[in-house]
Amino acid sequence: PKTVTAGAPRPLVAKSFIIALALVAALQAWAQQNMITFVPKYLSDMGKTAAVYGLIAGLFMGGSAIGNVIGGNLADRFSKQRVAMTTLALASIPLFLLSIVGWSPWLYLLVPLSGMLTGAVLSIIVVLAQRTIRGGMALASGLTLGFMFSVGALGTLLSGPLADRWGFPPVFQMTAGLAILASLLTLFLREPIP
C-alpha cells in the first residue's frame, strides 16, 4: 500500500466527474427513498396487513444492506464505474416488474432484489466522493450521505403528488427509469487516481 502524507495534494478532478457523481447519488437516493416510502402504502391500499408490508419493507432495507456489502466487495475487485453501471441497470428490472405484478408472492423476491441492486452503489459513491472532495474522508462521507438523504427526501416530495394523481405503479415505473438514468450517468465516472 502507498503511504500518503497528511496534507498531500489530491489530484484535480474534472467538473463533469463531480456533477455526474452528484447526479448518480441523487438518482440512487431518490429511487431507494421511493421504495421505502411508497411500497408499504401500496400494499396497505391493496388490503395487506401491517405484518405483510412491514416484512416487505424490512426485506427491501435488508437487501439494500446486503447489496452495499456485495457492491463494495465487487468494486474493490473490478472497476467501480462498471459495478455501479451494471447494478443500477439491473435494478431497473425488479423495479419495473414491481409496477406490473400487483400483489404476488414474487414481491418477496423482487423487493429485496431491487434493494440489493440499488444499495450496491452506496459504498461506491461514498468512496468516490472521499477521493474527490478536499478536506478529508470524514467530511466527504458526511457531505455525501447528508446530500443523499436530503435529495432522497426531496425526490419523494416530488413523487408523492404523482402517486396521488396516477397511482403507485407509474411511480415505480418512474423509479425504474431513475435507475436507468443513473446507470447511464455512471459513464462519466472515470475514477480519479487515488
Side-chain angles (χ1 to χ4, degrees):
K2 295 179 183 177
T3 57
V4 179
T5 58
R10 293 177 184 232
L12 292 176
V13 178
K15 288 181 183 176
S16 60
F17 179 91
I18 295 170
I19 292 168
L21 183 61
L23 289 173
V24 170
L27 293 170
Q28 185 271 353
W30 187 359
Q32 281 214 307
Q33 197 61 42
N34 274 355
M35 294 294 291
I36 291 167
T37 303
F38 299 124
V39 166
K41 176 67 173 147
Y42 177 56
L43 296 177
S44 175
D45 287 354
M46 287 193 286
K48 299 304 167 188
T49 65
V52 171
Y53 61 74
L55 174 61
I56 295 283
L59 287 173
F60 178 82
M61 290 182 268
S64 181
I66 292 168
N68 194 5
V69 174
I70 293 171
N73 188 18
L74 290 173
D76 286 338
R77 296 181 184 189
F78 306 104
S79 161
K80 290 172 183 55
Q81 182 262 338
R82 184 176 299 160
V83 172
M85 180 176 63
T86 303
T87 56
L88 286 167
L90 290 174
S92 67
I93 298 168
L95 289 170
F96 181 79
L97 290 175
L98 181 75
S99 73
I100 60 176
V101 299
W103 168 249
S104 166
W106 281 103
L107 291 182
Y108 290 106
L109 174 64
L110 293 175
V111 170
L113 185 60
S114 64
M116 184 176 74
L117 291 168
T118 55
V121 185
L122 180 61
S123 58
I124 295 170
I125 291 169
V126 171
V127 167
L128 290 176
Q130 288 173 341
R131 291 183 179 181
T132 304
I133 298 173
R134 296 176 184 273
M137 291 171 51
L139 174 66
S141 298
L143 284 173
T144 304
L145 293 173
F147 171 76
M148 292 177 75
F149 295 145
S150 301
V151 170
L154 290 173
T156 56
L157 182 65
L158 296 173
S159 300
L162 299 178
D164 287 338
R165 176 172 294 185
W166 296 317
F168 291 109
V171 169
F172 296 141
Q173 291 170 5
M174 180 191 76
T175 304
L178 294 175
I180 290 173
L181 182 56
S183 175
L184 293 173
L185 287 169
T186 63
L187 293 170
F188 296 97
L189 295 183
R190 301 298 175 206
E191 295 180 46
I193 300 168

